[in-house]
Amino acid sequence: MAGLEDLYREIILDHYRSPRNKGELETPPATRTEGFNPLCGDEIVVYVDVDDDGIVQDIKIGGQGCSISQSSASMMSAAVKGKSVEEARKLTTAFKSLMSIHEANVGGDGSEAEADPDAELDPSIKLGDLEALQGVVKFPTRIKCATLSWNTLSQAFDEAAAAN
Amino acid sequence: MAGLEDLYREIILDHYRSPRNKGELETPPATRTEGFNPLCGDEIVVYVDVDDDGIVQDIKIGGQGCSISQSSASMMSAAVKGKSVEEARKLTTAFKSLMSIHEANVGGDGSEAEADPDAELDPSIKLGDLEALQGVVKFPTRIKCATLSWNTLSQAFDEAAAAN
Amino acid sequence: MTAADDSPSPKTALDGTAIRADFPILHQMQTGADGEERRVVFLDSAASSQRPQQVIDAMDEIYTHSYANVHRGVYQIAERATNAYEGARTKVASFINAPSANEVIFTKNATEAINLVAASWGRANLGPGDAVVLTMMEHHANIVPWQMLAAEKGVEIRWIPVTDDGQLDLSELDTLLDGAKMLAFTSMSNVLGTLTPVKELVAAAHRHGALALVDACQSVPHLPTDVVDMDADFVAFSAHKMMGPSGLGVLWGRMELLDAMPPFLGGGGMILNVTTEGFTTDAVPAKFEAGTPPIAEAAGLSAAIDYLENIGMDEVRRHEVELTAYAMRTLTERLGDDIRIFGPAEPAARGGVLSIELRDVHAHDVSQILDEKAVCIRPGHHCAKPLMRHYGVAATARASFYIYNDTDDVDALADALVAARDFFAL
Amino acid sequence: MTAADDSPSPKTALDGTAIRADFPILHQMQTGADGEERRVVFLDSAASSQRPQQVIDAMDEIYTHSYANVHRGVYQIAERATNAYEGARTKVASFINAPSANEVIFTKNATEAINLVAASWGRANLGPGDAVVLTMMEHHANIVPWQMLAAEKGVEIRWIPVTDDGQLDLSELDTLLDGAKMLAFTSMSNVLGTLTPVKELVAAAHRHGALALVDACQSVPHLPTDVVDMDADFVAFSAHKMMGPSGLGVLWGRMELLDAMPPFLGGGGMILNVTTEGFTTDAVPAKFEAGTPPIAEAAGLSAAIDYLENIGMDEVRRHEVELTAYAMRTLTERLGDDIRIFGPAEPAARGGVLSIELRDVHAHDVSQILDEKAVCIRPGHHCAKPLMRHYGVAATARASFYIYNDTDDVDALADALVAARDFFAL
Ligand SMILES: Cc1ncc(COP(=O)(O)O)c(C=O)c1O
Ligand SMILES: Cc1ncc(COP(=O)(O)O)c(C=O)c1O
C-alpha cells in the first residue's frame, strides 16, 4: 500500500508472520519480565537466561502485539542471543537512539525519559535487520511499539542482576 | 446616582446608616445564630429571645454587611419584634417570595432551594417598609444580601425550638 | 477496492451529510501517502466526539463578551458569566430529567465524577467486609477508583461476569449483591456497545440495600436519559463525548446523598466559612465544586445539549441503530470469516460501537492502514483491560458512530478494512 | 466628576490601549442606567483574566482541525491533538524553567493541584504529630485541603502571622518550622498583592527538613517564574489567570517526589495494567492525569504563554509596578482619608492588586456603583477569610491589573470611587 512501505518493510512483515524465539523459558534459571504499552494494550513477556559469564544463553518472547512490536521483539531476540549482556545493552542504546528522534513528541508518560536523542552511535555497533525499523520514526505513535520489547529487556537484565 | 435609586431607596440608606436593634443579647435566654453569605463575605449574627408564649420578646443584630444586607436585617428586626414566631415566619415567607422572583438564576449553592417562587402571598401580611427592598430583584446578585438575615432568623427559630 | 455495488447507500433517520455541514473538523480532506485526497471519516466518537460550530461559537461568545470568574462578581460581565454557568446546570438537569439543578455537579470529566463518589461517599460509608459490585465490562474509570478505595478500606470487589456474546451474566446477581453497599456499572459498554439493563440492575441493587452508580458516559450522548426513571443514585458522564468541550464532566446524585457526603476537594467556592481552626462547607453543588470551575466549557455543553435536543434524542438513537445494523451487515458481507465483531448480534441491543478483530492483522496495524484512507478508528484496550482479558485479546479495532456519520462512512470503513486485510494477507 | 486635571495620563512600560486591541471582550461598551455608554474597564484579573484573540483562535483551531482524544489514537487528527497537548506541557515547562516536561501535570485548576499534593503526598507521608505550616494570607485553596488532611490524619497546622502592613511576620519562622513536614505558602497574596520572600521561605523549609509548596497562582501570570531558582518542591497555578482558558491548572513537582507518590484520581490514562485484582500505575505525569484531559484548554494555555513570552515577563512586571504606583498615588490624592489601601506601601513590594476600603461604604456597594460606571472590580473575602479576620473586615473591594490595563483605567477607577463616596456621603 502506497506510503506504508516505509513502515511495513518486507523483513518486518516476515518477522511478524514468523516470529523468532517465540515461547517460554523455565524460571529460574531464566528471568521473566512483562512489559505493557498502555497506549494500545500490547503486552510482551521477555524470558531471558543469562549465564554466569554474563552471556544471554537463551531468550524467548511471549505476549501479544502489533506487527511493529512483534517484529521488533523477534529481531531483538535474534540479535542478542549469544551476546553478552553488555553488548545487548549497547545494542539497546543504539536501537533506542535510532527510534528516539521523534520520541520526545510522543511522550506524556515519562517512560522514555532516559532515551538520549543526542547520544552518539557507537560506530562498531551493527543494527543489521533492525535498521528496517527506521521507517517507524515517521509514525511517531508507533515508536513505543518498536521500543517496548527493548525496554522490557533492559528491565529483565536489571532484575536478573538484582537476583544475583 | 441615575439607575441605582431602585436599589438604594432612601429608606434603605436610612436603615443602613442608623440600624435598628444593633447589638447583642445574653445567651441564654436568647439564641445566637450566625449567617454567612459565602459570595461576598457578609456575616450576620441574629440574637433572638422568644418567650414561653412564642413571642419574640427581643431581637438584636450583629455582624458586618453591605447596605442591602444591613438594612434588610434592620427592617426585619423592627418588623418581627413583639410578634409571634408564627407571624414572623409568615413574614419571612412573604419577604422571600418578594425576593425569589429571580432567585433561581442566582443559585448554585442550593441554599435557597426551599424558596417557592409560586407561593401565594397571604394578603393579610403587610410588608411595610420592607417593600422598599423590592428593587433588589433587579440586581440578582444582591438578592442573597437581602435574604441573609431572614434565612438566619429562620435558623434561629429552629434552634430555639430545638433547644426547648 | 471500491464498494461492492454502486447503488446509493441506504438512508438512516438522520442525514449525516447535512449534519456534517455544522462540523468544521469534518470538512477537512486528508492526503494519503498515495497522494489521494479523501474526506476525513471520523469513527472515534466513543473516545471523544466532534462538535458543531454552534458549540464552538457558544464558548467564543463567553470569551469575547461574558467571561469573568463566577459566583462572586457584582459587575454585569460576571453576572452574565454566572448565569451562563448556572444556566448550563439547569440545562443539564432538564436533559437528564434531574429533579433539581442543584443535584448537578460539574467536574473535570466523568472519571473525576466517579472518583468523587468513591472517595467521598465511599470513604465515609465503606469499611472492611463491605462489598462493591462492578461488571467485567467496566471502563477503568469505573474500576480503579473502587480498587483504590478497596485497598485503603479493606473493601471487597465483586465482578458480574460477561457472556461470550457480550451481555452481562446476571445469573448470580443476587449472590453477588448479597451484603453489597454499591453496584457501579456502565449503561453501555464502550468496547462492545452492549446496552445493560439499567433499571433492572438498579432495582436489584436497591433490593439488596445497595446504592447504584451508573457510568452513563456512552449512553447520555446517544439515548434519551431519565435519571428518575432509572431510579439511580449517581450518574456520571462527560461533556466531550456529547459534542461539548474537553475539560468538563457531570456527576448527578440524589440530593439527600450528596447532602450527607463529606467534601471531596477543598478550596474556594465550596466553603461557608474558614477559620484557622477549620472550615464549614457550603450547600450542594457548591460543596463539590472547589476552585474556579470550567466556565466556558459549561456554556459549550449547554449549546451541545441545545443541538442534541433540536435533533431529538429519539432520532439520534434511531439513526445509530440503523447505522449499526447497516455496518454489521456490510462488514460481514464484505469481510466474511476474516472479521469478528464483538458484542451482541442484535443491533437494537447495542449502541453505535463496533469492536472488531481482523484475522491476522493486529488492531494497531488496522488503524494505521485505515488512517491512510482517512478513516479514523481507535485500536487498543479501550481502558477496559479486564474485558479484553475475558476475550483473550490485547486490543481490538473500534469504530464508533455519532449523528454526523452515515452509510457512506460505513462503506469507507469497509473498503479500508478490505484493503488492510489484503495488505497483510500472506 | 472627572479626573482632577486634563493632562494626559502617564505612560507605563506597555501600551494598554494597543494591547486591548487583541482582547475582544474589552472592546465592549456598557450602558449605565443613566443611559451613557462607557468602555468596559476590567479590573478583576486577579480573579480571572481575559484572553486575547490569539488564545481563542488556538482553541478554535483544535476544535476545527485537530481534535480527538489524546494518547491512544493512531490516526493523524489524534496525533495532532496529542502533539498539541504534549506540546503545551513542554511549553509550560520551559515557561517556568522546569527541568523536565514530565514534571508538569495538568489539573482542572490550581485548587485541584494543591489537593493532589495534600491528598497524595500528604496522606502517604503525614500522620499524628506532624505539622504543616501555612500563612495567614493564604487563599482557601491552600488552606482547606490541608485542613481536610489535618482532620483525617491528626496533622497540626501552624500559621505564619501577617503584619499590619501586609507582610509575613517571619520572626518566629524557625519555631514554626521546627518539626514541620511541609510549608505551603503563596508567592503573592491575591488580597494584598504582597510578594512573599519565596526563596527565603523555601530555604527555611528545607533547612528544617520540610518540603515547600508554592501557590503561584498570582505570580506566574505576572512575573518571571523559575522553579529551579525558587528551589521549590511543588508549584501550583491556573491557566485562567494568565490569559488561558478556564478548566485547566498546573502542578509542577520534583520528579523524585512525584515518582514516589501514590496516585490521586484513578481511571483511564493513568494505568499500566488493570486486572480484577488491582492496577499498576503508569509513569509521571500520566499517573496523575486520570481520564480525558483538558485538551483544547492545554492548547489555549500554550497560546497564552506565547503571547506572554512575546511581550516578555520582565516587561509585564515593569508595567504592573508602574501602574500600581500610579494607582496608589492617584487614589490617595483623589480620596484622601476616605480610602484605605491594604498591603505594602511600596509598589515594588507588591503585584498589581489593590484591596481597598472606602469609608462608610461597604465593598459590595462600592462594586455595585462602579459597575454603573462600567468599572469591574470584585468585592468580598477573596477566598481568604483568615486574612480578612486579621484585618477585622468582612470584605474589601479589590481592583487588579494586567497587561491590558493602563492609567486611563486607573483614572476611571478613581472617578467611580469618588462618585461612590459622594453617593453614600451623609
Ligand atoms: C492565591 C490563589 N491561590 C489559589 C487560587 C485558586 O485558583 P483556582 O480557582 O483556579 O483553582 C487563587 C485564585 O482563585 C488564588 O488567587
Ligand atoms: C464507559 C466509559 N466510562 C468512563 C469514561 C471516562 O470518561 P472521561 O475520560 O471523560 O473521564 C469513558 C470514556 O473514556 C467511557 O467510555
Side-chain angles (χ1 to χ4, degrees), chain C residues 389-401:
Chain C
R389 214 163 281 118
H390 167 83
Y391 282 108
V393 294
T396 71
R398 184 185 68 184
S400 51
F401 308 124

Side-chain angles (χ1 to χ4, degrees), chain D residues 22 42 80-81 96-97 117 164 170 221 226 243 276 295 365 387 391:
Chain D
D22 286 335
F42 188 79
R80 290 204 300 273
I96 62 173
N97 195 31
V117 177
D164 283 344
L170 301 181
D226 182 332
M243 310 190 299
T276 52
I295 300 165
D365 295 311
L387 180 65
Y391 282 109

Side-chain angles (χ1 to χ4, degrees), chain D residues 21-361:
Chain D
D22 286 335
F23 290 75
I25 198 169
L26 301 178
H27 304 169
Q28 71 187 294
M29 305 296 282
Q30 185 172 307
T31 311
D34 58 5
E36 248 186 74
E37 278 222 323
R38 297 177 182 85
R39 171 174 71 80
V40 163
V41 173
F42 188 79
L43 298 174
D44 192 24
S45 297
S48 201
S49 67
Q50 300 301 344
R51 44 210 57 66
Q53 191 62 48
Q54 289 86 329
V55 168
I56 299 169
D57 287 347
M59 290 188 282
D60 287 358
E61 162 63 24
I62 293 290
Y63 283 137
T64 55
H65 287 99
S66 304
Y67 182 83
N69 216 326
V70 292
H71 290 321
R72 288 177 305 267
V74 172
Y75 54 90
Q76 290 171 38
I77 296 179
E79 214 167 282
R80 290 204 300 273
T82 301
N83 288 344
Y85 183 69
E86 292 303 328
R89 197 188 302 283
T90 306
K91 177 136 320 171
V92 169
S94 103
F95 188 64
I96 62 173
N97 195 31
S100 158
N102 287 327
E103 293 176 338
V104 171
I105 295 160
F106 286 129
T107 61
K108 70 173 176 177
N109 51 28
T111 302
E112 188 195 1
I114 299 172
N115 276 272
L116 191 167
V117 177
S120 167
W121 176 85
R123 283 223 191 97
N125 291 284
L126 301 187
D130 286 328
V132 168
V133 180
L134 307 176
T135 88
M136 284 294 287
M137 58 170 78
E138 294 314 306
H139 187 281
H140 295 162
N142 199 25
I143 297 175
V144 181
W146 303 109
Q147 290 182 328
M148 289 169 66
L149 178 71
E152 183 186 329
K153 291 285 184 181
V155 169
E156 179 196 355
I157 293 184
R158 301 178 189 159
W159 300 85
I160 299 177
V162 290
T163 62
D164 283 344
D165 65 338
Q167 302 282 3
L168 292 179
D169 173 358
L170 301 181
S171 56
E172 301 293 326
L173 185 60
D174 282 313
T175 314
L176 286 165
L177 282 172
D178 187 40
K181 292 271 172 70
M182 168 63 81
L183 169 61
F185 67 97
T186 186
S187 50
M188 175 177 146
S189 162
N190 66 310
V191 178
L192 307 172
T194 314
L195 293 167
T196 60
V198 175
K199 288 178 71 168
E200 182 185 337
L201 287 163
V202 172
H206 288 172
R207 216 161 46 232
H208 287 273
L211 298 185
L213 177 147
V214 181
D215 174 356
C217 277
Q218 294 292 339
S219 68
V220 167
H222 302 282
L223 312 168
T225 303
D226 182 332
V227 298
V228 172
D229 184 56
M230 279 182 181
D231 199 29
D233 299 294
F234 298 105
V235 173
F237 53 100
S238 270
H240 68 88
K241 294 194 205 270
M242 53 193 290
M243 310 190 299
S246 53
L248 178 64
V250 173
L251 173 68
W252 170 83
R254 281 186 200 284
M255 183 51 80
E256 65 269 28
L257 293 169
L258 296 171
D259 222 26
M261 279 157 58
F264 176 49
L265 304 184
M270 53 72 78
I271 59 92
L272 208 51
N273 196 20
V274 176
T275 70
T276 52
E277 301 310 308
F279 67 96
T280 49
T281 54
D282 200 352
V284 176
K287 177 166 78 173
F288 294 112
E289 295 187 356
T292 301
I295 300 165
E297 288 76 5
L301 175 58
S302 195
I305 292 176
D306 283 340
Y307 192 91
L308 280 168
E309 287 188 328
N310 198 35
I311 292 177
M313 292 309 293
D314 285 319
E315 288 301 282
V316 170
R317 172 65 183 151
R318 207 147 66 82
H319 169 73
E320 291 178 16
V321 172
E322 289 168 9
L323 204 53
T324 304
Y326 178 75
M328 292 175 84
R329 206 164 57 233
T330 305
L331 295 185
T332 308
E333 275 170 24
R334 300 280 308 278
L335 289 137
D337 283 350
D338 291 335
I339 198 172
R340 173 181 178 193
I341 301 177
F342 294 87
E346 178 52 54
R350 57 195 296 160
V353 173
L354 292 183
S355 264
I356 63 168
E357 195 178 38
L358 205 56
R359 188 206 296 268
D360 290 333
V361 192

Side-chain angles (χ1 to χ4, degrees), chain C residues 221-405:
Chain C
H222 302 282
L223 311 169
T225 303
D226 183 332
V227 297
V228 172
D229 184 56
M230 277 181 182
D231 200 28
D233 299 295
F234 298 104
V235 174
F237 53 100
S238 271
H240 68 89
K241 292 191 205 272
M242 56 194 289
M243 309 192 298
S246 52
L248 178 64
V250 173
L251 174 68
W252 169 84
R254 281 186 200 284
M255 184 51 80
E256 65 270 27
L257 293 169
L258 296 172
D259 222 25
M261 280 155 58
F264 176 49
L265 304 184
M270 55 72 78
I271 59 93
L272 210 50
N273 197 21
V274 176
T275 70
T276 51
E277 302 308 309
F279 68 95
T280 50
T281 54
D282 201 352
V284 176
K287 178 166 76 173
F288 294 113
E289 295 185 357
T292 302
I295 300 166
E297 288 77 4
L301 175 58
S302 195
I305 291 175
D306 283 342
Y307 192 91
L308 280 167
E309 286 188 328
N310 198 34
I311 292 176
M313 292 308 294
D314 286 320
E315 288 300 284
V316 171
R317 172 65 182 150
R318 207 148 64 82
H319 169 73
E320 291 178 15
V321 172
E322 288 168 11
L323 204 53
T324 304
Y326 178 74
M328 293 175 82
R329 207 164 57 234
T330 304
L331 296 185
T332 309
E333 275 171 25
R334 299 282 303 283
L335 289 137
D337 284 350
D338 291 334
I339 196 171
R340 174 180 178 196
I341 301 177
F342 294 87
E346 177 52 53
R350 58 195 297 162
V353 173
L354 292 185
S355 264
I356 63 169
E357 194 179 37
L358 206 55
R359 187 206 297 267
D360 290 332
V361 192
H362 186 276
H364 223 151
D365 295 311
V366 171
S367 188
Q368 188 84 59
I369 291 176
L370 264 56
D371 181 52
E372 273 303 305
K373 306 284 188 191
V375 175
C376 309
I377 64 156
R378 187 158 293 244
H381 54 61
H382 314 298
C383 296
K385 287 197 118 193
L387 180 65
M388 303 309 276
R389 214 163 281 118
H390 167 83
Y391 282 108
V393 294
T396 71
R398 184 185 68 184
S400 51
F401 308 124
Y402 211 179
I403 51 169
Y404 36 67
N405 295 120

Side-chain angles (χ1 to χ4, degrees), chain B residues 37-42 66 145, chain C residues 71-72, chain D residues 362 364 379-382 394-396:
Chain B
N37 182 341
L39 304 188
C40 61
D42 284 2
C66 66
C145 306
Chain C
H71 290 322
R72 288 177 305 265
Chain D
H362 185 277
H364 222 151
H381 53 61
H382 314 298
T396 69

Side-chain angles (χ1 to χ4, degrees), chain C residues 46-48 108-114 137-142 186-191 215-218 236-241 248-249 382-383 398, chain D residues 69 72 268 290-293:
Chain C
S48 200
K108 69 173 177 178
N109 51 29
T111 301
E112 187 195 1
I114 298 171
M137 59 170 77
E138 295 313 307
H139 187 280
H140 295 162
N142 199 25
T186 186
S187 50
M188 176 178 145
S189 162
N190 65 310
V191 178
D215 174 355
C217 277
Q218 294 291 340
F237 53 100
S238 271
H240 68 89
K241 292 191 205 272
L248 178 64
H382 314 298
C383 296
R398 184 185 68 184
Chain D
N69 216 326
R72 288 177 305 267
T292 301

